[in-house]
Amino acid sequence: MSITTERNPDTAVLPERIRRFPFPFAANQYRYSANVEPAHKNVTTEAGSWGTGLIDIDENYHEEIAQREQILTRDPSRMKVLPHMRSAAWDTLATLLPAMAADYPDLMSFHREGNHCRWHNGLQNLDVEFTVGEDDSLPGGPLRFLGTQIQDDIVLLDVRDNTMWLDAGLVTFAADWSFNFDVGMNFLEIHGPVPRVKEENIVSRAEKFLLALQPGEQFRRTNWTMTVGQRLDTSTETYPEWGPDRATIATDPAMPDKLHLRVEVQHLIRLPHSGVLLFLIRSYLLPLSDIAKVPAWREKLGHVLAELPDDMAEYKGIIRYRKAASEWLLAG
């Protein structure tokens, strides 16, 4: 959703993490919707703007890439590529690396002659040559390599039988779901647990929209939840590490600093050669104490949390602390 408003002059002194944050609410109420818009569209918020590029690189780049490496070393099941998705993995790499080079020409470059490619990433002092289609020309193959270059999680949906199937991906920063569990499921099965979307026909409409995407088309949407702590990996597999915090954060005096609004910017791309649907999921965290520095954000999030129906709050895992968070925001 696009937010167009005049900015408060004081926002010029806000740190970059706030000015570039993709705040997802245009009103004081939230309900599920497809909320799809064209990619690369600049979105102006009350604090700044976001959205002009496909791959966003920020101050957390090196830290998040390092986190991903640690997670994959501990749990290799966070990446899977079913055999028939091999070409789609290469299609993904050959689509995203040139896009990064175009968005960051001072830092990155991509050159291709036939299937031979050369990639330079100045942020990593990295120069790599590889051959498209030859898995052993890149460490771990194309998807594994891509995970060392971008902060986004990657989901690949194959199209067959008039629906989409999650048959490949690299997901280390899941928000209360399990990539490994969902591999092999179709689009409707994956979204089955989400309340209200079936009754309101949201998933079926989203499915029709995605199936109609043409090769090369790029769209995006936002999604949100909340997370205790500066933690991107809130996957089902690691629930014992972060789940108990949900029960105690409401009474924690440090709640404004510990409780984060988590926003996902999800890019939806029909890959040009394989026809597979690529979902890029880029996750951002901002604590309530930072949200409160933008008065319009503080008010909107406070009202959204107060008004959100219980079934939606339960599904998002915020029902035990959303009242405390709302009251703190609206008391500001």
Side-chain angles (χ1 to χ4, degrees):
M1 61 184 73
S2 297
I3 306 170
T4 303
T5 182
E6 292 187 6
R7 279 180 282 165
N8 186 321
D10 293 340
T11 61
V13 302
L14 291 173
E16 186 177 0
R17 69 178 181 276
I18 300 177
R19 287 186 285 109
R20 299 175 76 248
F21 186 73
F23 189 77
F25 305 115
N28 292 341
Q29 183 186 75
Y30 172 83
R31 293 294 185 272
Y32 289 119
S33 67
N35 74 314
V36 176
E37 65 181 9
H40 304 281
K41 180 180 178 181
N42 186 64
V43 180
T44 301
T45 73
E46 291 90 344
S49 63
W50 64 275
T52 55
L54 180 63
I55 301 296
D56 182 36
I57 295 174
D58 63 14
E59 62 192 47
N60 300 312
Y61 180 74
H62 292 289
E63 179 184 350
E64 292 181 11
I65 295 297
Q67 285 182 33
R68 172 170 287 139
E69 289 301 301
Q70 294 168 4
I71 293 167
L72 287 170
T73 298
R74 184 175 66 246
D75 184 4
S77 73
R78 305 294 187 94
M79 187 190 87
K80 286 193 174 180
V81 180
L82 299 186
H84 66 281
M85 298 294 283
R86 178 175 168 271
S87 62
W90 280 108
D91 201 1
T92 302
L93 185 74
T95 298
L96 295 184
L97 293 187
M100 292 176 70
D103 285 343
Y104 301 95
D106 295 336
L107 297 171
M108 301 173 184
S109 63
F110 179 81
H111 300 285
R112 178 171 181 173
E113 294 184 11
N115 285 332
H116 184 266
C117 303
R118 182 171 183 176
W119 167 247
H120 170 75
N121 182 340
L123 289 175
Q124 300 182 3
N125 295 318
L126 177 70
D127 280 288
V128 175
E129 296 186 31
F130 60 89
T131 303
V132 172
E134 295 184 8
D135 288 354
D136 58 1
S137 66
L138 276 177
L143 221 56
R144 183 68 179 82
F145 177 75
L146 191 57
T148 69
Q149 303 301 298
I150 65 175
Q151 292 161 266
D152 307 58
D153 281 330
I154 306 161
V155 172
L156 294 174
L157 299 175
D158 192 23
V159 179
R160 61 181 188 275
D161 302 328
N162 202 34
T163 188
M164 297 165 289
W165 303 79
L166 198 170
D167 285 347
L170 190 160
V171 179
T172 53
F173 304 139
D176 205 1
W177 64 286
S178 170
F179 166 75
N180 188 38
F181 180 78
D182 285 356
V183 170
M185 289 187 180
N186 66 36
F187 192 73
L188 293 176
E189 291 170 337
I190 292 168
H191 293 91
V194 184
R196 299 174 179 242
V197 294
K198 183 177 181 181
E199 294 81 358
E200 297 173 17
N201 211 28
I202 294 171
V203 173
S204 59
R205 285 189 282 115
E207 182 182 41
K208 289 178 181 178
F209 172 81
L210 291 170
L211 288 172
L213 284 183
Q214 297 302 301
E217 284 192 316
Q218 301 181 0
F219 288 82
R220 73 175 180 219
R221 66 183 299 272
T222 58
N223 193 20
W224 71 277
T225 185
M226 302 189 80
T227 299
V228 180
Q230 188 77 22
R231 183 186 181 101
L232 286 172
D233 179 18
T234 54
S235 60
T236 306
E237 287 85 349
T238 59
Y239 181 82
E241 299 174 17
W242 54 267
D245 293 337
R246 290 177 169 180
T248 59
I249 190 63
T251 57
D252 190 333
M255 179 188 69
D257 293 320
K258 290 183 177 179
L259 187 57
H260 291 69
L261 176 62
R262 176 180 180 136
V263 178
E264 295 178 352
V265 177
Q266 304 173 351
H267 278 92
L268 323 169
I269 302 168
R270 191 69 176 259
L271 291 173
H273 301 294
S274 62
V276 163
L277 281 157
L278 165 64
F279 273 60
L280 290 173
I281 307 170
R282 178 72 158 81
S283 299
Y284 301 83
L285 296 170
L286 199 66
L288 295 190
S289 55
D290 277 349
I291 295 288
K293 293 174 182 176
V294 185
W297 290 5
R298 183 186 66 221
E299 183 177 353
K300 285 176 183 175
L301 180 57
H303 285 298
V304 164
L305 293 177
E307 193 276 338
L308 195 70
D310 284 350
D311 59 341
M312 295 174 67
E314 180 69 42
Y315 176 75
K316 287 183 177 291
I318 68 173
I319 196 163
R320 284 177 283 186
Y321 56 75
R322 56 91 168 254
K323 183 175 184 291
S326 174
E327 289 177 349
W328 183 86
L329 288 163
L330 295 177

